[in-house]
């Protein structure tokens, strides 16, 4: 059977994603990744360079999988939040990878940071173009939309970052029961935020009319 380079890369990527999500950058072991991927360590270094570059590649690819998952429809904020919540519930590895990045990667920007920053800028401008933050002066609308976007992301992500705390704080017997409850709460909070934005926009337009 001919050697399939792309299949090898995919197996390495999948094994690395699981290894990094479980152990972080410092705790991950290249030999475990190689064993899980049914590949040799030389292939990992050939395709990805070193462990740090492999971690960055995994995180970058995982983030690229979810452009829709962190988008908020300005006309349906609450519905968007529910969809985002469900996506993170089905893909908890991304939150774990982001937490490991925060703990271990340090403050130095990596090569993927400009692209990630641009993606968030685009989402903030989409919110502004959709009518979000029109009640504030034009020169700060984008900043207001950025704050709203990050606030909503935090409302969602914290539930998956600390599932045990979520379960204990809500006095639920299982993580699933706690997340079911939190989903409804997060959606309601998003709905109220959207309603407040709408009221501000309406009030602003009335004042100028």
């Amino acid at each position: 059977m001919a050697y399939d380079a792309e299949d090898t890369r995919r197996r390495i990527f999948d094994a690395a994603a699981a290894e990094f999500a479980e152990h972080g950058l410092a705790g991950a072991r290249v030999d475990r990744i190689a064993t899980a991927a049914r590949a040799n360590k030389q292939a990992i270094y050939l395709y990805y360079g070193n462990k740090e570059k492999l971690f960055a590649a995994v995180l970058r690819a995982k983030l690229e999988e979810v452009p829709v998952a962190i988008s908020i429809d300005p006309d349906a904020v609450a519905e968007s939040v529910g969809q985002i919540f469900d996506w993170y519930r089905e893909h908890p590895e991304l939150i774990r990878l982001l937490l490991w990045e925060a703990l271990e990667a340090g403050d130095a920007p990596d090569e993927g940071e400009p692209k990630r920053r641009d993606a968030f800028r685009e989402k903030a401008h989409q919110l502004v173009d959709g009518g979000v933050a029109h009640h504030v002066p034009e020169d700060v609308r984008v900043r207001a939309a950025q704050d709203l976007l990050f606030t909503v992301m935090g409302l969602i992500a914290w539930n998956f970052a600390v599932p045990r705390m979520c379960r204990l704080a809500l006095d639920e017997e299982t993580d699933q029961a706690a997340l079911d409850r939190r989903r409804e709460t997060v959606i309601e909070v998003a709905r109220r935020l959207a309603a407040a934005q709408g009221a501000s926009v309406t009030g602003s337009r009335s004042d100028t009319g």
Side-chain angles (χ1 to χ4, degrees), residues 81-116:
V81 165
Q83 293 171 2
I84 298 169
F85 193 101
D86 291 340
W87 194 96
Y88 277 110
R89 192 171 189 171
E90 294 171 6
H91 301 83
E93 72 279 0
L94 179 56
I95 294 295
R96 294 180 64 86
L97 288 169
L98 288 170
L99 289 172
W100 284 120
E101 179 193 40
L103 287 169
E104 299 182 324
D107 296 329
D110 63 48
E111 62 183 21
E113 186 168 306
K115 188 174 181 179
R116 289 166 66 180

Side-chain angles (χ1 to χ4, degrees), residues 3-197:
Y3 179 73
D4 189 335
E6 284 306 311
D7 183 62
T8 301
R9 286 176 66 97
R10 179 190 57 77
R11 294 199 312 271
I12 291 171
F13 177 90
D14 290 343
E19 177 76 7
F20 287 130
E22 181 68 23
H23 301 286
L25 176 57
R29 296 291 178 264
V30 173
D31 55 351
R32 284 201 298 258
I33 295 172
T35 298
R38 305 188 310 280
N40 57 54
K41 294 169 65 173
Q42 287 71 27
I44 295 175
Y45 296 126
L46 172 65
Y47 292 134
Y48 292 100
N50 56 37
K51 188 170 72 168
E52 289 73 19
K53 290 182 179 179
L54 177 56
F55 178 86
V58 167
L59 180 57
R60 184 165 58 250
K62 286 294 181 181
L63 287 169
E64 289 174 353
E65 288 177 5
V66 294
V68 176
I70 52 175
S71 294
I72 299 177
D73 183 349
D75 296 321
V77 172
E79 291 80 359
S80 297
V81 165
Q83 293 171 2
I84 298 169
F85 193 101
D86 291 340
W87 194 96
Y88 277 110
R89 192 171 189 171
E90 294 171 6
H91 301 83
E93 72 279 0
L94 179 56
I95 294 295
R96 294 180 64 86
L97 288 169
L98 288 170
L99 289 172
W100 284 120
E101 179 193 40
L103 287 169
E104 299 182 324
D107 296 329
D110 63 48
E111 62 183 21
E113 186 168 306
K115 188 174 181 179
R116 289 166 66 180
R117 185 185 294 271
D118 287 343
F120 283 114
R121 284 173 176 160
E122 181 179 352
K123 295 177 193 305
H125 281 284
Q126 288 172 350
L127 287 172
V128 171
D129 292 342
V132 169
H134 275 194
H135 61 291
V136 300
E138 184 175 357
D139 60 341
V140 295
R141 285 176 187 166
V142 171
R143 295 179 66 86
Q146 290 169 336
D147 284 331
L148 174 63
L149 177 63
F150 195 73
T151 297
V152 171
M153 289 171 59
L155 282 171
I156 298 168
W158 187 241
N159 300 285
F160 304 100
V162 289
R164 179 177 298 180
M165 183 182 295
C166 178
R167 170 168 50 83
L168 295 177
L170 298 183
D171 197 18
E172 295 287 355
E173 293 299 321
T174 66
D175 291 349
Q176 180 172 338
L179 288 175
D180 287 343
R181 182 172 158 191
R182 284 296 300 160
R183 184 183 190 278
E184 297 306 314
T185 300
V186 169
I187 289 174
E188 180 59 27
V189 170
R191 182 176 289 113
R192 294 185 182 187
L193 284 172
Q197 290 277 12

